[in-house]
Amino acid sequence: MSVKTFLTIISILGLLFGIGDLLIPDRIGAIYGMEASRSAELMARFFGVALLGWALITWFAKDFHDESDLRHVLAPSGVAHSAGVIVATMGTMSGVMNAMGWTGVAIFLFGAIGSFYFLTVSSHQRMVHT
């Protein structure tokens, strides 16, 4: 997989979940077994806005060729996705989310592993892997 493919996948996932959390937070919450409340709905919408922002950043970053520019997107992505793994795992294991919460863990884990992987490979390998 190339870094461009990885960033495209992360962008699409962020876009889909971001739009869902922004427009239909009650339905998304129900899928994950979360209790409905006005405050939970507001937090889900804020989360959706953040996901949309990050989806756009990674979408445009997929075409970066400068090593430094790419590292400035991959490093914070890796840290943020790692934090997402922890939060999603805690939420699922505590029962705040149902078993569907493990899909969130998997998506964040994919983002963390991919980000750190592409930070460690050489720029030539990063662009050539398919």
Side-chain angles (χ1 to χ4, degrees), residues 78-93:
V79 172
H81 284 108
S82 296
V85 169
I86 294 166
V87 172
T89 300
M90 289 171 52
T92 304
M93 291 182 75

Side-chain angles (χ1 to χ4, degrees), residues 87-102 105:
V87 172
T89 300
M90 289 171 52
T92 304
M93 291 182 75
S94 70
V96 173
M97 292 190 291
N98 61 24
M100 282 296 294
W102 293 114
V105 173

